[in-house]
Amino acid sequence: MEKTAMFAGGCFWCMVEPFEKLIGVKDIRVGYSGGTNKNPTFEDVCKEDNKHFMVVKIIYEDDMVSYNELLEVYFNSIDPTDEEGQFGDDGNCFKTAIFYYDINQWRQAQKYIENLEENNIFGDLIATNLWEAKEFYEAEEFHQDFYKKNPLLYREYYRFSGRYEYLKRSYAKRHLSKLQYEVTQNKLREKPFKNEYYDNFKEGVYVDIIDNTPLFSSRDKINKNCGWPIFSKAIDDNLIKFIKDEEIINKIEVRSRKSDIHLGYVLNDTWENFRKNILSINSASIKFIPANEYFEIT
């Protein structure tokens, strides 16, 4: 059955892309709701006296995607503990809120929030309010699908606002072990010979611990007794990036290009090794998938 959901999560430019990835979402429009003015403009909404929120209105098939799945995407896309707005934007229009269309949506949202607080998922109380859905006013065409029409400006804003860095670290804190978090986010070096994959030579692939992007193949793993997984190359050069570590002299850091997590370093830091891409990778930053399971997944 076709249903409607509506969420406020700060600047609505950043709230479309996460939901569009879900199978079962049929349409997403950005706009304004919750306030008193009729047919408000963007300029009107940015004024504090009208109480409108910037929102995304989602049309979805509930037999393909559940409301709970929408809630999960929503809370993975915001800072629900911020009472003043979102990231670099303060003001009522940038505050978070869930607008429910029926009692079932209210119950599910309320239960979801209670679970977040009981388990201290975000380390603080949830500031996201629940409001009964009011009239939705569609925003100007300039704002619709902004991330598609203006990808460079969108990415610049997404990072400059602080949303990107917060969500990356928040997701890691909530889904990774303490060791995985310290390795991927703070560049902790695992102890040699006391990590999961240094002596693993089974056939398969090693994927990014955050987003499961395949990074390394067992065919390129070097049988070198140095205490960490060693690879001669990545599956594709575009999957990783090399950065000169400003904190450690002559260290060349290896990072995953898509998730931007720390993976490890170029081994021994010599030009020859760098040229050959001899890569020393932390086990905590990757996950091994045996060949038979990987081919089943793909």
Side-chain angles (χ1 to χ4, degrees):
M1 180 183 295
E2 187 174 285
K3 290 193 174 182
T4 304
M6 188 157 65
F7 303 100
C11 178
F12 46 29
W13 291 353
C14 301
M15 295 300 295
V16 176
E17 185 179 14
F19 290 105
E20 282 201 334
K21 297 176 182 179
L22 291 176
I23 297 175
V25 169
K26 297 183 63 177
D27 187 47
I28 304 177
R29 303 298 286 176
V30 302
Y32 318 112
S33 190
T36 55
N37 292 12
K38 292 186 177 181
N39 301 311
T41 65
F42 181 81
E43 289 72 20
D44 293 333
V45 170
C46 289
K47 298 175 183 177
E48 286 295 300
D49 59 349
N50 71 84
K51 303 303 180 183
H52 276 297
F53 293 78
M54 292 187 186
V55 299
V56 287
K57 183 179 180 181
I58 302 167
I59 307 299
Y60 67 102
E61 294 285 350
D62 70 341
D63 59 340
M64 298 178 67
V65 58
S66 69
Y67 189 68
N68 217 58
E69 289 177 286
L70 296 180
L71 289 171
E72 183 175 1
V73 170
Y74 174 66
F75 281 104
N76 278 332
S77 304
I78 63 170
D79 174 4
T81 67
D82 191 342
E83 298 178 350
E84 304 301 324
Q86 284 292 281
F87 312 105
D89 300 311
D90 289 337
N92 186 80
C93 66
F94 294 109
K95 291 181 180 180
T96 62
I98 297 172
F99 291 89
Y100 58 90
Y101 281 87
D102 55 47
I103 190 63
N104 288 327
Q105 287 188 352
W106 180 87
R107 286 172 178 162
Q108 290 181 69
Q110 185 65 35
K111 183 178 180 181
Y112 199 100
I113 290 173
E114 289 174 355
N115 180 66
L116 293 177
E117 291 187 333
E118 287 173 3
N119 292 282
N120 198 31
I121 300 300
F122 287 93
D124 205 344
L125 295 178
I126 302 301
T128 302
N129 289 310
L130 303 183
W131 303 110
E132 185 175 1
K134 294 185 177 181
E135 187 168 357
F136 171 79
Y137 298 98
E138 192 165 299
E140 297 84 342
E141 187 58 34
F142 172 79
H143 298 292
Q144 306 298 335
D145 291 323
F146 186 86
Y147 84 96
K148 294 179 181 178
K149 295 185 291 189
N150 299 278
L152 294 180
L153 181 57
Y154 166 71
R155 291 299 174 191
E156 182 180 352
Y157 171 79
Y158 192 80
R159 287 180 176 268
F160 181 75
S161 67
R163 187 182 292 258
Y164 170 79
E165 189 62 28
Y166 170 85
L167 294 181
K168 181 172 73 105
R169 286 186 169 268
S170 175
Y171 182 89
K173 277 186 177 180
R174 289 181 284 120
H175 293 86
L176 301 184
S177 69
K178 183 177 180 180
L179 175 62
Q180 289 170 332
Y181 181 84
E182 290 300 323
V183 168
T184 59
Q185 307 301 310
N186 297 324
K187 299 191 293 188
L188 175 72
R189 188 61 160 160
E190 290 177 322
K191 293 182 179 180
F193 305 106
K194 294 183 178 181
N195 54 83
E196 190 172 2
Y197 300 130
Y198 83 93
D199 60 349
N200 176 46
F201 288 92
K202 297 177 182 178
E203 186 178 356
V205 296
Y206 297 82
V207 302
D208 186 310
I209 196 67
I210 290 286
D211 62 15
N212 292 319
T213 298
L215 297 177
F216 306 102
S217 169
S218 59
R219 291 173 295 184
D220 302 313
K221 197 166 187 288
I222 301 174
N223 191 0
K224 203 161 189 172
N225 192 29
C226 73
W228 295 280
I230 305 297
F231 299 92
S232 61
K233 62 179 181 178
I235 292 175
D236 187 317
D237 290 341
N238 293 319
L239 298 174
I240 61 174
K241 56 184 176 180
F242 299 104
I243 299 176
K244 183 179 180 181
D245 195 318
E246 299 296 337
E247 299 174 1
I248 308 176
I249 298 176
N250 294 331
K251 277 288 187 182
I252 305 297
E253 181 188 4
V254 184
R255 298 186 73 87
S256 179
R257 186 173 295 277
K258 185 177 179 181
S259 70
D260 196 36
I261 63 170
H262 172 79
L263 297 174
Y265 289 98
V266 176
L267 184 64
N268 293 334
D269 315 308
T270 67
W271 171 248
E272 182 180 358
N273 281 337
F274 180 66
R275 183 172 59 83
K276 292 181 179 179
N277 284 0
I278 299 180
L279 313 175
S280 177
I281 305 300
N282 290 289
S283 293
S285 64
I286 52 180
K287 178 173 61 178
F288 176 71
I289 301 179
N292 60 325
E293 294 181 19
Y294 175 71
F295 290 125
E296 287 177 5
I297 295 173
T298 55

